[in-house]
Each structure stands twice: as C-alpha cells, then as structure tokens.
Amino acid sequence: MRIPFFSVIIPTYNRCKFLKIAIETVLLQTFNDYELIVVDDGSSDETSELIKKIKSNIIYIYQKHRGVSSARNKGIKASKGKYICFLDSDDRFRILKLELTYHYIKNFPRYKIFHTEELWYRNGSILPPKVYHKKPEGWVFKEALKLCCISISTVAIKREVFNEVGFFDENLPACEDYDFWLRATLKYPVKLIPHTLTIKEGGHPDQQSKRFPLMDKFRIYAIKKL
C-alpha cells in the first residue's frame, strides 16, 4: 500500500461555494505526493454533488453534523500520510505550499511541526498583519498561551504528534485549535517556513469568531484542562 507524504484534510459544513476553490488549490499543487480527504460534517447544501463533479481522486467522508473537531479527527484517522496538513474550506493554498513544505521538512528533520506565513483578505482587500500576528518559531508555548499563534491551514504535522498529544477536543465548539496548540507546543518546537503559502478570507458570517464572539470561556477550559 502506497503511503503518501502528505494527507491534506478539508473539513466542511455547508460551504460549497468556498469548498470548490479550496479543493482546486490543492489539486493545482506542484507537489503531487499527497492524498486529499474532504470530511463533510453533515452539509445540507450541494457539497456531495460538487465532489462528484470534480474528476479527481478525492477521498470523501460524510458524517452527521458533529463539529469541526470531530471532522478533523475523522480525517486524521482515515488518512495514511506521513505528515498531516489541514485546509479550512474557506481558505486556500498557494501553488507551492506542499512543495516548499516538503523541502523544509527534509532540511529540518528534527522538527515535527511546521507552519507558514499567511495572507488575510476581506471583501477583496488585503488586511495588513498586526505586530502581534508575527509568526513564532522554536519553543512557542508562551506565545501560544497568549493567542492562537499558529493557523491551522498553514501547518504540516508529523503523524506521531497526534499519538503523543491527542486529537482535537470534540467538546469544544470553537478554540479547538488553541487547545491543540497548547498541548503540542509544550512537547514540540515549531519550525516557521518564511513564505506566504496560505490565503485566508475573513468577514463572512459563518466564521467561528462570528458565531462565538465570547470565546474566552473556551480558552479558559483549555488552560484548566492542561
């Protein structure tokens, strides 16, 4: 059985119009040793029809609506790749994302977690990053405690990390990435790939920050649990 170098996991829920673009940015990658897994978290839109129309080897998994943590965990358990990459369905990879990540993994073998720079835009305009958005490198637990300093759509994580620190907490409807990074950065250093390889779109109404404006309670839960 062939083991791909990367498994790219896209969790999605009623985001058909965004999902098409996200999938296309994976299929256009210059590095081809990957599998693409789309986990449909109970969508009621045309997501399943979209997947059928795209003529490519996409692993499509449908589950009843259980939230993004469950969808990511389902994708991880179904995956075979040596490194796990995530792409939220409203985000996009730039064309060299996997190729450059592969080269950094080969050049920095002691690291098991990699992330990249990212570009944010809203309503067609680029959003300039704030000073506190500067991407960290090394032992970054203190930075991860202050804010979610690693964006999930920028990462490549060696499979064994999940065996060591666990999966995404399915009790959390939001801040599940903050919770995961607290656990992961306590045990592993992080390597920054200094290239803007992920594009994120902000401002649409179904983003977690819009649905859960008071998220400190989830962060407190994650800290207390740790």
Side-chain angles (χ1 to χ4, degrees):
M1 180 179 64
R2 189 184 74 86
I3 298 176
F5 194 84
F6 293 112
S7 293
V8 180
I9 299 169
I10 304 180
T12 189
Y13 176 63
N14 287 339
R15 280 183 171 173
C16 186
K17 65 177 182 178
F18 293 112
L19 178 62
K20 183 177 186 295
I21 300 173
I23 289 174
E24 287 173 349
T25 67
V26 178
L27 299 180
L28 288 171
Q29 290 295 301
T30 56
F31 184 88
N32 295 319
D33 190 9
Y34 68 86
E35 63 178 359
L36 174 57
I37 301 172
V38 174
V39 183
D40 183 348
D41 187 37
S43 296
S44 57
D45 62 3
E46 294 78 31
T47 294
S48 60
E49 288 77 9
L50 170 66
I51 300 298
K52 291 175 184 176
K53 290 178 182 177
I54 298 175
K55 295 180 179 179
S56 183
N57 294 323
I58 298 174
I59 301 169
Y60 175 67
I61 301 171
Y62 179 88
Q63 66 173 26
K64 292 183 178 180
H65 183 53
R66 296 183 59 190
V68 67
S69 291
S70 173
R72 289 201 191 108
N73 291 342
K74 178 82 79 172
I76 296 167
K77 292 170 185 176
S79 67
K80 300 181 180 68
K82 298 174 184 177
Y83 282 80
I84 308 296
C85 298
F86 298 100
L87 180 62
D88 283 351
S89 52
D90 56 341
D91 295 339
R92 309 168 189 187
F93 282 168
R94 300 189 81 173
I95 195 168
L96 292 174
K97 156 75 174 176
L98 296 182
E99 182 176 344
L100 287 178
T101 300
Y102 172 81
H103 288 308
Y104 269 81
I105 288 171
K106 291 300 183 183
N107 288 329
F108 297 92
R110 78 180 185 93
Y111 287 91
K112 298 179 181 179
I113 301 174
F114 295 79
H115 70 139
T116 78
E117 298 286 359
E118 62 187 349
L119 178 70
W120 278 85
Y121 76 97
R122 179 184 297 151
N123 299 324
S125 299
I126 295 174
L127 302 178
K130 307 293 185 182
V131 173
Y132 62 81
H133 288 144
K134 181 178 173 59
K135 300 296 182 183
E137 182 176 66
W139 292 98
V140 304
F141 175 77
K142 288 183 179 180
E143 289 87 349
L145 192 61
K146 295 175 186 176
L147 78 164
C148 193
C149 61
I150 302 173
S151 294
I152 199 71
S153 292
T154 71
V155 302
I157 306 169
K158 198 168 187 179
R159 174 174 295 278
E160 64 192 62
V161 171
F162 297 99
N163 298 331
E164 178 69 22
V165 307
F167 292 79
F168 292 94
D169 189 332
E170 297 185 18
N171 293 313
L172 283 168
C175 296
E176 76 293 332
D177 48 351
Y178 176 83
D179 170 76
F180 178 80
W181 293 125
L182 288 187
R183 289 181 276 128
T185 57
L186 262 182
K187 294 182 177 292
Y188 296 101
V190 176
K191 181 64 182 175
L192 175 64
I193 300 172
H195 299 279
T196 303
L197 299 176
T198 301
I199 301 172
K200 300 180 67 67
E201 181 174 353
H204 49 89
D206 68 338
Q207 286 185 304
Q208 297 289 64
S209 57
K210 301 288 186 180
R211 295 174 58 215
F212 302 100
L214 301 176
M215 293 197 288
D216 280 349
K217 63 181 180 180
F218 303 133
R219 298 186 183 101
I220 293 170
Y221 164 89
I223 294 168
K224 289 176 68 177
K225 185 177 68 172
L226 191 67

mmCIF file of all heavy atoms in Angstrom, residues 169-198:
data_model
loop_
_atom_site.group_PDB
_atom_site.id
_atom_site.type_symbol
_atom_site.label_atom_id
_atom_site.label_comp_id
_atom_site.label_asym_id
_atom_site.label_seq_id
_atom_site.Cartn_x
_atom_site.Cartn_y
_atom_site.Cartn_z
ATOM 1 N N ASP A 169 -10.164 18.368 20.581
ATOM 2 C CA ASP A 169 -11.148 18.151 21.642
ATOM 3 C C ASP A 169 -12.553 18.365 21.082
ATOM 4 O O ASP A 169 -12.931 19.493 20.735
ATOM 5 C CB ASP A 169 -10.880 19.119 22.795
ATOM 6 C CG ASP A 169 -11.724 18.815 24.021
ATOM 7 O OD1 ASP A 169 -12.833 18.268 23.876
ATOM 8 O OD2 ASP A 169 -11.283 19.157 25.137
ATOM 9 N N GLU A 170 -13.334 17.307 21.012
ATOM 10 C CA GLU A 170 -14.665 17.386 20.413
ATOM 11 C C GLU A 170 -15.699 18.014 21.342
ATOM 12 O O GLU A 170 -16.849 18.222 20.944
ATOM 13 C CB GLU A 170 -15.101 15.993 19.952
ATOM 14 C CG GLU A 170 -14.176 15.443 18.867
ATOM 15 C CD GLU A 170 -14.620 14.113 18.286
ATOM 16 O OE1 GLU A 170 -15.808 13.758 18.461
ATOM 17 O OE2 GLU A 170 -13.787 13.441 17.646
ATOM 18 N N ASN A 171 -15.295 18.354 22.563
ATOM 19 C CA ASN A 171 -16.188 19.095 23.459
ATOM 20 C C ASN A 171 -16.167 20.590 23.182
ATOM 21 O O ASN A 171 -17.009 21.323 23.714
ATOM 22 C CB ASN A 171 -15.786 18.859 24.921
ATOM 23 C CG ASN A 171 -16.012 17.430 25.366
ATOM 24 O OD1 ASN A 171 -17.073 16.868 25.111
ATOM 25 N ND2 ASN A 171 -15.027 16.842 26.018
ATOM 26 N N LEU A 172 -15.220 21.037 22.375
ATOM 27 C CA LEU A 172 -15.071 22.467 22.101
ATOM 28 C C LEU A 172 -15.735 22.833 20.780
ATOM 29 O O LEU A 172 -15.318 22.345 19.729
ATOM 30 C CB LEU A 172 -13.586 22.845 22.042
ATOM 31 C CG LEU A 172 -12.867 22.960 23.387
ATOM 32 C CD1 LEU A 172 -11.362 23.045 23.182
ATOM 33 C CD2 LEU A 172 -13.366 24.176 24.160
ATOM 34 N N PRO A 173 -16.723 23.733 20.773
ATOM 35 C CA PRO A 173 -17.319 24.191 19.519
ATOM 36 C C PRO A 173 -16.461 25.240 18.814
ATOM 37 O O PRO A 173 -16.660 25.536 17.639
ATOM 38 C CB PRO A 173 -18.654 24.790 19.971
ATOM 39 C CG PRO A 173 -18.387 25.270 21.356
ATOM 40 C CD PRO A 173 -17.418 24.291 21.950
ATOM 41 N N ALA A 174 -15.507 25.816 19.542
ATOM 42 C CA ALA A 174 -14.565 26.804 18.993
ATOM 43 C C ALA A 174 -13.297 26.748 19.839
ATOM 44 O O ALA A 174 -13.274 26.133 20.907
ATOM 45 C CB ALA A 174 -15.169 28.204 19.018
ATOM 46 N N CYS A 175 -12.238 27.387 19.346
ATOM 47 C CA CYS A 175 -10.935 27.401 20.034
ATOM 48 C C CYS A 175 -10.329 26.008 20.167
ATOM 49 O O CYS A 175 -9.439 25.792 20.979
ATOM 50 C CB CYS A 175 -11.041 28.055 21.414
ATOM 51 S SG CYS A 175 -11.500 29.800 21.368
ATOM 52 N N GLU A 176 -10.790 25.073 19.363
ATOM 53 C CA GLU A 176 -10.226 23.728 19.399
ATOM 54 C C GLU A 176 -8.776 23.720 18.922
ATOM 55 O O GLU A 176 -7.967 22.897 19.378
ATOM 56 C CB GLU A 176 -11.070 22.765 18.561
ATOM 57 C CG GLU A 176 -10.905 22.869 17.058
ATOM 58 C CD GLU A 176 -11.413 24.174 16.450
ATOM 59 O OE1 GLU A 176 -12.334 24.778 17.024
ATOM 60 O OE2 GLU A 176 -10.886 24.565 15.389
ATOM 61 N N ASP A 177 -8.430 24.663 18.027
ATOM 62 C CA ASP A 177 -7.043 24.758 17.576
ATOM 63 C C ASP A 177 -6.157 25.344 18.679
ATOM 64 O O ASP A 177 -5.029 24.897 18.886
ATOM 65 C CB ASP A 177 -6.940 25.568 16.282
ATOM 66 C CG ASP A 177 -7.691 26.883 16.325
ATOM 67 O OD1 ASP A 177 -8.455 27.137 17.287
ATOM 68 O OD2 ASP A 177 -7.534 27.683 15.375
ATOM 69 N N TYR A 178 -6.676 26.342 19.413
ATOM 70 C CA TYR A 178 -5.944 26.909 20.562
ATOM 71 C C TYR A 178 -5.627 25.800 21.558
ATOM 72 O O TYR A 178 -4.488 25.666 22.032
ATOM 73 C CB TYR A 178 -6.787 27.999 21.210
ATOM 74 C CG TYR A 178 -6.188 28.601 22.467
ATOM 75 C CD1 TYR A 178 -5.243 29.622 22.400
ATOM 76 C CD2 TYR A 178 -6.585 28.157 23.727
ATOM 77 C CE1 TYR A 178 -4.696 30.168 23.549
ATOM 78 C CE2 TYR A 178 -6.049 28.701 24.877
ATOM 79 C CZ TYR A 178 -5.109 29.700 24.789
ATOM 80 O OH TYR A 178 -4.567 30.242 25.940
ATOM 81 N N ASP A 179 -6.612 24.991 21.886
ATOM 82 C CA ASP A 179 -6.432 23.882 22.822
ATOM 83 C C ASP A 179 -5.371 22.909 22.311
ATOM 84 O O ASP A 179 -4.490 22.475 23.070
ATOM 85 C CB ASP A 179 -7.773 23.177 23.009
ATOM 86 C CG ASP A 179 -7.647 21.867 23.762
ATOM 87 O OD1 ASP A 179 -7.484 21.911 24.994
ATOM 88 O OD2 ASP A 179 -7.689 20.803 23.114
ATOM 89 N N PHE A 180 -5.434 22.571 21.027
ATOM 90 C CA PHE A 180 -4.456 21.627 20.466
ATOM 91 C C PHE A 180 -3.051 22.204 20.518
ATOM 92 O O PHE A 180 -2.093 21.492 20.880
ATOM 93 C CB PHE A 180 -4.828 21.269 19.029
ATOM 94 C CG PHE A 180 -3.837 20.345 18.384
ATOM 95 C CD1 PHE A 180 -3.863 18.987 18.628
ATOM 96 C CD2 PHE A 180 -2.853 20.847 17.534
ATOM 97 C CE1 PHE A 180 -2.933 18.137 18.050
ATOM 98 C CE2 PHE A 180 -1.921 20.011 16.951
ATOM 99 C CZ PHE A 180 -1.961 18.648 17.211
ATOM 100 N N TRP A 181 -2.890 23.486 20.176
ATOM 101 C CA TRP A 181 -1.551 24.062 20.146
ATOM 102 C C TRP A 181 -0.944 24.191 21.530
ATOM 103 O O TRP A 181 0.277 24.095 21.674
ATOM 104 C CB TRP A 181 -1.550 25.408 19.425
ATOM 105 C CG TRP A 181 -1.859 25.275 17.972
ATOM 106 C CD1 TRP A 181 -2.840 25.904 17.270
ATOM 107 C CD2 TRP A 181 -1.190 24.423 17.036
ATOM 108 N NE1 TRP A 181 -2.838 25.494 15.972
ATOM 109 C CE2 TRP A 181 -1.838 24.595 15.792
ATOM 110 C CE3 TRP A 181 -0.120 23.542 17.128
ATOM 111 C CZ2 TRP A 181 -1.430 23.896 14.654
ATOM 112 C CZ3 TRP A 181 0.278 22.842 15.999
ATOM 113 C CH2 TRP A 181 -0.376 23.026 14.779
ATOM 114 N N LEU A 182 -1.758 24.392 22.553
ATOM 115 C CA LEU A 182 -1.203 24.382 23.911
ATOM 116 C C LEU A 182 -0.554 23.030 24.201
ATOM 117 O O LEU A 182 0.572 22.956 24.702
ATOM 118 C CB LEU A 182 -2.298 24.662 24.935
ATOM 119 C CG LEU A 182 -2.866 26.081 25.021
ATOM 120 C CD1 LEU A 182 -3.813 26.188 26.217
ATOM 121 C CD2 LEU A 182 -1.769 27.128 25.127
ATOM 122 N N ARG A 183 -1.263 21.962 23.894
ATOM 123 C CA ARG A 183 -0.735 20.630 24.167
ATOM 124 C C ARG A 183 0.487 20.319 23.298
ATOM 125 O O ARG A 183 1.472 19.732 23.772
ATOM 126 C CB ARG A 183 -1.829 19.586 23.926
ATOM 127 C CG ARG A 183 -2.921 19.615 24.967
ATOM 128 C CD ARG A 183 -3.979 18.560 24.716
ATOM 129 N NE ARG A 183 -4.995 18.999 23.766
ATOM 130 C CZ ARG A 183 -5.365 18.332 22.695
ATOM 131 N NH1 ARG A 183 -4.772 17.184 22.387
ATOM 132 N NH2 ARG A 183 -6.306 18.780 21.900
ATOM 133 N N ALA A 184 0.425 20.711 22.027
ATOM 134 C CA ALA A 184 1.505 20.361 21.098
ATOM 135 C C ALA A 184 2.780 21.154 21.364
ATOM 136 O O ALA A 184 3.886 20.593 21.326
ATOM 137 C CB ALA A 184 1.038 20.583 19.664
ATOM 138 N N THR A 185 2.645 22.451 21.645
ATOM 139 C CA THR A 185 3.839 23.285 21.803
ATOM 140 C C THR A 185 4.517 23.087 23.152
ATOM 141 O O THR A 185 5.659 23.527 23.334
ATOM 142 C CB THR A 185 3.506 24.773 21.609
ATOM 143 O OG1 THR A 185 2.478 25.174 22.532
ATOM 144 C CG2 THR A 185 3.038 25.041 20.187
ATOM 145 N N LEU A 186 3.852 22.423 24.092
ATOM 146 C CA LEU A 186 4.530 22.031 25.326
ATOM 147 C C LEU A 186 5.566 20.949 25.056
ATOM 148 O O LEU A 186 6.574 20.852 25.759
ATOM 149 C CB LEU A 186 3.516 21.504 26.340
ATOM 150 C CG LEU A 186 3.015 22.451 27.420
ATOM 151 C CD1 LEU A 186 2.057 21.725 28.351
ATOM 152 C CD2 LEU A 186 4.165 23.058 28.209
ATOM 153 N N LYS A 187 5.340 20.137 24.047
ATOM 154 C CA LYS A 187 6.185 18.970 23.810
ATOM 155 C C LYS A 187 7.097 19.090 22.588
ATOM 156 O O LYS A 187 8.100 18.389 22.493
ATOM 157 C CB LYS A 187 5.308 17.720 23.650
ATOM 158 C CG LYS A 187 4.556 17.335 24.920
ATOM 159 C CD LYS A 187 3.740 16.075 24.718
ATOM 160 C CE LYS A 187 3.053 15.654 26.014
ATOM 161 N NZ LYS A 187 4.009 15.199 27.031
ATOM 162 N N TYR A 188 6.738 19.975 21.653
ATOM 163 C CA TYR A 188 7.477 20.042 20.394
ATOM 164 C C TYR A 188 7.801 21.482 20.010
ATOM 165 O O TYR A 188 6.947 22.363 20.147
ATOM 166 C CB TYR A 188 6.659 19.415 19.257
ATOM 167 C CG TYR A 188 6.380 17.952 19.417
ATOM 168 C CD1 TYR A 188 5.147 17.499 19.876
ATOM 169 C CD2 TYR A 188 7.355 16.990 19.100
ATOM 170 C CE1 TYR A 188 4.879 16.145 20.014
ATOM 171 C CE2 TYR A 188 7.087 15.638 19.237
ATOM 172 C CZ TYR A 188 5.856 15.221 19.695
ATOM 173 O OH TYR A 188 5.596 13.886 19.838
ATOM 174 N N PRO A 189 9.003 21.712 19.465
ATOM 175 C CA PRO A 189 9.292 23.012 18.863
ATOM 176 C C PRO A 189 8.624 23.107 17.497
ATOM 177 O O PRO A 189 8.255 22.097 16.892
ATOM 178 C CB PRO A 189 10.817 23.013 18.739
ATOM 179 C CG PRO A 189 11.161 21.558 18.549
ATOM 180 C CD PRO A 189 10.162 20.789 19.379
ATOM 181 N N VAL A 190 8.488 24.324 17.019
ATOM 182 C CA VAL A 190 7.782 24.594 15.762
ATOM 183 C C VAL A 190 8.734 25.292 14.799
ATOM 184 O O VAL A 190 9.470 26.211 15.188
ATOM 185 C CB VAL A 190 6.548 25.485 16.025
ATOM 186 C CG1 VAL A 190 5.866 25.864 14.720
ATOM 187 C CG2 VAL A 190 5.579 24.777 16.954
ATOM 188 N N LYS A 191 8.721 24.865 13.540
ATOM 189 C CA LYS A 191 9.543 25.496 12.505
ATOM 190 C C LYS A 191 8.679 26.378 11.619
ATOM 191 O O LYS A 191 7.662 25.926 11.087
ATOM 192 C CB LYS A 191 10.240 24.427 11.649
ATOM 193 C CG LYS A 191 11.150 24.999 10.561
ATOM 194 C CD LYS A 191 12.301 25.772 11.166
ATOM 195 C CE LYS A 191 13.191 26.394 10.086
ATOM 196 N NZ LYS A 191 14.243 27.236 10.686
ATOM 197 N N LEU A 192 9.077 27.621 11.467
ATOM 198 C CA LEU A 192 8.372 28.547 10.577
ATOM 199 C C LEU A 192 8.981 28.487 9.182
ATOM 200 O O LEU A 192 10.189 28.618 9.004
ATOM 201 C CB LEU A 192 8.461 29.978 11.105
ATOM 202 C CG LEU A 192 7.864 31.062 10.196
ATOM 203 C CD1 LEU A 192 6.356 30.867 10.033
ATOM 204 C CD2 LEU A 192 8.176 32.454 10.724
ATOM 205 N N ILE A 193 8.138 28.286 8.188
ATOM 206 C CA ILE A 193 8.535 28.387 6.784
ATOM 207 C C ILE A 193 8.227 29.830 6.359
ATOM 208 O O ILE A 193 7.068 30.222 6.293
ATOM 209 C CB ILE A 193 7.743 27.392 5.918
ATOM 210 C CG1 ILE A 193 8.006 25.960 6.406
ATOM 211 C CG2 ILE A 193 8.109 27.531 4.444
ATOM 212 C CD1 ILE A 193 7.130 24.910 5.757
ATOM 213 N N PRO A 194 9.243 30.652 6.090
ATOM 214 C CA PRO A 194 9.032 32.096 5.923
ATOM 215 C C PRO A 194 8.523 32.479 4.532
ATOM 216 O O PRO A 194 9.061 33.363 3.871
ATOM 217 C CB PRO A 194 10.413 32.676 6.197
ATOM 218 C CG PRO A 194 11.354 31.614 5.718
ATOM 219 C CD PRO A 194 10.686 30.298 6.042
ATOM 220 N N HIS A 195 7.472 31.819 4.105
ATOM 221 C CA HIS A 195 6.840 32.100 2.826
ATOM 222 C C HIS A 195 5.327 32.158 3.038
ATOM 223 O O HIS A 195 4.770 31.382 3.817
ATOM 224 C CB HIS A 195 7.167 31.026 1.787
ATOM 225 C CG HIS A 195 8.629 30.894 1.475
ATOM 226 N ND1 HIS A 195 9.289 31.736 0.610
ATOM 227 C CD2 HIS A 195 9.556 30.016 1.937
ATOM 228 C CE1 HIS A 195 10.565 31.384 0.542
ATOM 229 N NE2 HIS A 195 10.746 30.341 1.332
ATOM 230 N N THR A 196 4.672 33.056 2.343
ATOM 231 C CA THR A 196 3.217 33.181 2.439
ATOM 232 C C THR A 196 2.584 32.133 1.538
ATOM 233 O O THR A 196 2.501 32.311 0.327
ATOM 234 C CB THR A 196 2.772 34.603 2.028
ATOM 235 O OG1 THR A 196 3.438 35.558 2.840
ATOM 236 C CG2 THR A 196 1.266 34.757 2.187
ATOM 237 N N LEU A 197 2.135 31.041 2.145
ATOM 238 C CA LEU A 197 1.679 29.881 1.376
ATOM 239 C C LEU A 197 0.205 29.553 1.601
ATOM 240 O O LEU A 197 -0.314 28.616 0.990
ATOM 241 C CB LEU A 197 2.543 28.664 1.704
ATOM 242 C CG LEU A 197 4.036 28.820 1.361
ATOM 243 C CD1 LEU A 197 4.814 27.594 1.810
ATOM 244 C CD2 LEU A 197 4.240 29.066 -0.126
ATOM 245 N N THR A 198 -0.463 30.292 2.473
ATOM 246 C CA THR A 198 -1.893 30.093 2.717
ATOM 247 C C THR A 198 -2.605 31.434 2.617
ATOM 248 O O THR A 198 -2.087 32.449 3.083
ATOM 249 C CB THR A 198 -2.145 29.476 4.103
ATOM 250 O OG1 THR A 198 -1.471 28.223 4.190
ATOM 251 C CG2 THR A 198 -3.630 29.273 4.360
#
